[in-house]
Amino acid sequence: DTAVSQTPKYLVTQMGNDKSIKCEQNLGHDTMYWYKQDSKKFLKIMFSYNNKELIINETVPNRFSPKSPDKAHLNLHINSLELGDSAVYFCASSQGVGERTGELFFGEGSRLTVL
Amino acid sequence: DAKTTQPTSMDCAEGRAANLPCNHSTISGNEYVYWYRQIHSQGPQYIIHGLKNNETNEMASLIITEDRKSSTLILPHATLRDTAVYYCIVRVGNSGYALNFGKGTSLLVTP
């Protein structure tokens, strides 16, 4: 019974295509995140949603559009894929109050390869 | 968020204690110290966090100096499965603040 699940785990696609990665958490958490880990292994925050509202939006190209239909889901849609988008994308969730917001539960990652 | 400094890599013999240091000399009074680890090809895993008191859970102990400018994560009896990259992060305890991962310490536990 996976706490934070992402689909697909692997995604290989051509430049210029549009793709989506889905994330679901069954922990009852209020806050969800998307992180990107590039080939150099740096893990960077992209977005954060609290109760379906965007609260963190780092400098990410507007080709990336997160969507949160409810607080248990945070999907990532990417338009016009570029080579530099190749990375592992991690979804995470946390409780929405105080210091516990720093206890993130991560999914297993979705490895995106753009050819 | 305050920046952190960690050694790039460390080794530890299996069964011994692994002590991972972290410097955060510019930490603010309302910032917590969080520790995570990432085992190869897996998602990061939360370990422990603290504000100023020492903390212990089933995974590790966190020792924070009295001036809060540094901390040490202790894995009391390291196993091969503890081989991972360990991240020390300081952050305000509020959902409006991102958890920013640095380069971390690559810990290798050897037989």
Side-chain angles (χ1 to χ4, degrees):
Chain A
D1 196 18
T2 306
V4 180
S5 58
Q6 302 178 222
T7 54
K9 283 187 168 48
Y10 300 95
L11 188 52
V12 180
T13 189
Q14 299 286 333
M15 280 176 56
N17 284 349
D18 303 339
K19 290 295 178 186
S20 292
I21 306 172
K22 294 185 177 181
C23 180
E24 176 181 5
Q25 55 97 2
N26 62 7
L27 298 167
H29 288 167
D30 295 324
T31 307
M32 296 186 70
Y33 311 79
W34 277 109
Y35 278 80
K36 177 181 179 181
Q37 189 166 41
D38 60 24
S39 58
K40 295 183 179 179
K41 303 299 184 184
F42 292 123
L43 197 60
K44 294 184 179 179
I45 180 75
M46 300 174 69
F47 303 101
S48 174
Y49 272 70
N50 181 265
N51 280 320
K52 303 193 297 175
E53 297 294 325
L54 181 66
I55 56 171
I56 295 174
N57 184 354
E58 293 295 308
T59 307
V60 176
N62 57 16
R63 298 182 296 103
F64 290 78
S65 53
K67 285 188 170 54
S68 182
D70 56 61
K71 74 173 192 177
H73 295 83
L74 181 62
N75 303 322
L76 184 65
H77 188 76
I78 315 170
N79 290 328
S80 303
L81 279 156
E82 301 177 357
L83 293 176
D85 298 333
S86 294
V88 180
Y89 292 85
F90 288 100
C91 177
S93 70
S94 71
Q95 291 286 6
V97 179
E99 65 191 84
R100 300 290 302 277
T101 61
E103 295 180 34
L104 271 60
F105 288 75
F106 282 82
E108 288 301 305
S110 297
R111 181 176 294 277
L112 171 65
T113 303
V114 182
L115 303 175
Chain B
D1 291 344
K3 291 186 177 178
T4 61
T5 304
Q6 299 178 251
T8 302
S9 63
M10 293 181 64
D11 292 346
C12 177
E14 189 177 20
R16 305 297 294 268
N19 298 298
L20 293 98
C22 179
N23 282 322
H24 32 78
S25 58
T26 60
I27 192 170
S28 301
N30 62 348
E31 288 181 314
Y32 291 77
V33 180
Y34 295 88
W35 281 85
Y36 279 76
R37 71 180 182 183
Q38 186 174 24
I39 297 170
H40 180 63
S41 298
Q42 297 183 19
Q45 179 187 22
Y46 165 80
I47 300 173
I48 198 167
H49 77 274
L51 183 62
K52 51 185 176 182
N53 297 323
N54 297 338
E55 302 287 345
T56 296
N57 64 20
E58 65 278 3
M59 288 183 69
S61 295
L62 173 60
I63 308 299
I64 302 175
T65 58
E66 195 168 340
D67 63 6
R68 301 186 71 238
K69 292 185 177 182
S70 66
S71 60
T72 301
L73 179 75
I74 301 173
L75 307 178
H77 305 288
T79 71
L80 298 179
R81 289 177 292 180
D82 292 322
T83 292
V85 178
Y86 287 78
Y87 299 96
C88 167
I89 305 164
V90 293
R91 172 190 176 270
V92 175
N94 183 289
S95 64
Y97 295 84
L99 206 67
N100 293 312
F101 289 76
K103 297 180 182 179
T105 296
S106 179
L107 175 69
L108 176 64
V109 181
T110 55

